């Protein structure tokens, strides 16, 4: 699915693998230079789609280092000269695996063609979880889903950090910002910050205490 939202951004959303992962191509529609977000499961399809659309993959952006989001990185590196961009908190775990590793912090930017991508550190699901803001489009990984948020009961998860990421970072973005999550867990493929603030139950808690008490009480509903 190619999202025809603006002529200044190329954004393609692809569902791959047994866990309903969304992999994204994002970049410059004119130069055809793109980054791939969270390559996993079916790298041959990713490479074929890039060739069919005359895209050059120059960067690999990682929202977080769970297996279902990174298991295709090495294979994609074998097909490209791309560098891997990961939050510095999780970079130490991966530097022995990926040689062309770029450590990033919240607020850093990278340019793909003439398109700027800003990294937002949003810990909670994992310590180094991050989202990518491309103009008014947010690729939110497993931090913010449509109607849900990422699980906080896994090793390395932190519900206090998740509450801060949701309420103090993502909820403060422009309400017109389009949200593109890391998995196909909803009836529609993308949302907006405004809709999530109005309808997502995990953005309705008025305090950290309420989030921990009532949100953690519905942990079985949380997504991977």
């Amino acid at each position: 699915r190619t999202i025809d939202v603006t002529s200044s951004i190329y954004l393609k959303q692809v569902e791959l693998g047994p866990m309903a992962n969304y992999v994204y191509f994002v970049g410059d529609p004119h130069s055809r230079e793109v980054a791939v977000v969270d390559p996993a499961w079916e790298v041959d399809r990713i490479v074929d789609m890039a060739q069919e659309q005359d895209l050059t993959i120059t960067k690999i952006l990682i929202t977080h280092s769970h297996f279902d989001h990174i298991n295709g990185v090495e294979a994609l590196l074998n097909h490209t000269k791309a560098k891997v961009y990961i939050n510095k908190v999780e970079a130490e775990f991966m530097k022995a695996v990926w040689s062309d590793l770029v450590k990033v912090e919240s607020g850093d930017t990278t340019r793909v063609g003439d398109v700027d991508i800003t990294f937002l550190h949003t810990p909670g699901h994992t310590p180094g979880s991050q989202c990518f803001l491309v103009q008014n489009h947010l690729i939110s990984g497993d931090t913010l889903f449509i109607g849900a948020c990422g699980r906080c009961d896994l090793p390395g998860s932190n519900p206090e950090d998740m509450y801060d990421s949701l309420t103090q970072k993502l909820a403060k973005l422009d309400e017109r910002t389009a949200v593109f999550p890391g998995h196909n867990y909803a009836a529609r493929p993308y949302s907006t910050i405004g809709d999530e603030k109005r309808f997502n139950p995990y953005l309705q808690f008025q305090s950290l205490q309420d989030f921990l008490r009532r949100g953690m009480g519905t942990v079985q509903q949380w997504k991977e």
Side-chain angles (χ1 to χ4, degrees):
R1 180 186 297 112
T2 301
I3 312 299
D4 186 17
V5 286
T6 172
S7 60
S8 63
I9 296 175
Y10 181 92
L11 181 57
K12 184 176 180 67
Q13 180 189 61
V14 184
E15 183 181 343
L16 296 175
M19 298 176 69
N21 285 76
Y22 278 138
V23 174
Y24 292 92
F25 296 84
V26 59
D28 188 330
H30 306 296
S31 70
R32 312 303 287 176
E33 180 182 339
V34 296
V36 173
V37 177
D38 290 354
W41 303 113
E42 300 173 55
V43 173
D44 287 345
R45 281 192 61 193
I46 294 172
V47 172
D48 288 346
M49 281 185 282
Q51 292 175 344
E52 290 166 3
Q53 297 295 315
D54 192 30
L55 303 173
T56 301
I57 299 169
T58 60
K59 298 180 181 182
I60 297 171
L61 310 183
I62 303 300
T63 61
H64 65 292
S65 56
H66 280 168
F67 175 78
D68 60 311
H69 290 260
I70 66 170
N71 63 63
V73 171
E74 285 188 70
L76 188 55
L77 287 173
N78 291 333
H79 287 279
T80 71
K81 297 180 180 179
K83 292 183 181 296
V84 182
Y85 290 71
I86 189 169
N87 186 270
K88 67 174 186 177
V89 176
E90 295 182 11
E92 294 303 312
F93 301 107
M94 307 309 301
K95 66 181 182 181
V97 181
W98 305 326
S99 57
D100 286 329
L101 192 65
V102 180
K103 304 175 186 179
V104 298
E105 301 182 60
S106 197
D108 287 351
T109 62
T110 189
R111 175 160 283 209
V112 180
D114 285 332
V115 174
D116 288 326
I117 300 175
T118 300
F119 300 93
L120 302 178
H121 184 207
T122 53
H125 183 60
T126 69
S129 285
Q130 60 182 353
C131 301
F132 310 121
L133 186 62
V134 193
Q135 295 180 15
N136 62 334
H137 309 88
L138 182 79
I139 299 175
S140 58
D142 283 9
T143 298
L144 178 62
F145 294 126
I146 300 171
C149 70
R151 290 180 61 168
C152 296
D153 62 336
L154 302 171
S157 299
N158 186 301
E160 290 89 349
D161 285 346
M162 177 63 83
Y163 180 77
D164 183 74
S165 292
L166 293 174
T167 63
Q168 302 305 307
K169 297 177 181 177
L170 300 189
K172 292 189 174 182
L173 296 174
D174 189 307
E175 291 198 355
R176 294 168 294 182
T177 302
V179 177
F180 297 90
H183 291 270
N184 183 10
Y185 287 155
R188 52 181 176 149
Y190 56 92
S191 181
T192 65
I193 289 294
D195 280 354
E196 294 311 300
K197 288 171 70 173
R198 284 184 286 272
F199 304 118
N200 188 327
Y202 292 92
L203 288 172
Q204 305 306 310
F205 299 110
Q206 298 302 306
S207 70
L208 173 61
Q209 290 70 30
D210 281 348
F211 182 81
L212 295 177
R213 183 175 66 251
R214 294 158 57 200
M216 291 297 287
T218 59
V219 69
Q220 72 274 10
Q221 301 175 13
W222 289 13
K223 305 299 185 181
E224 292 291 341

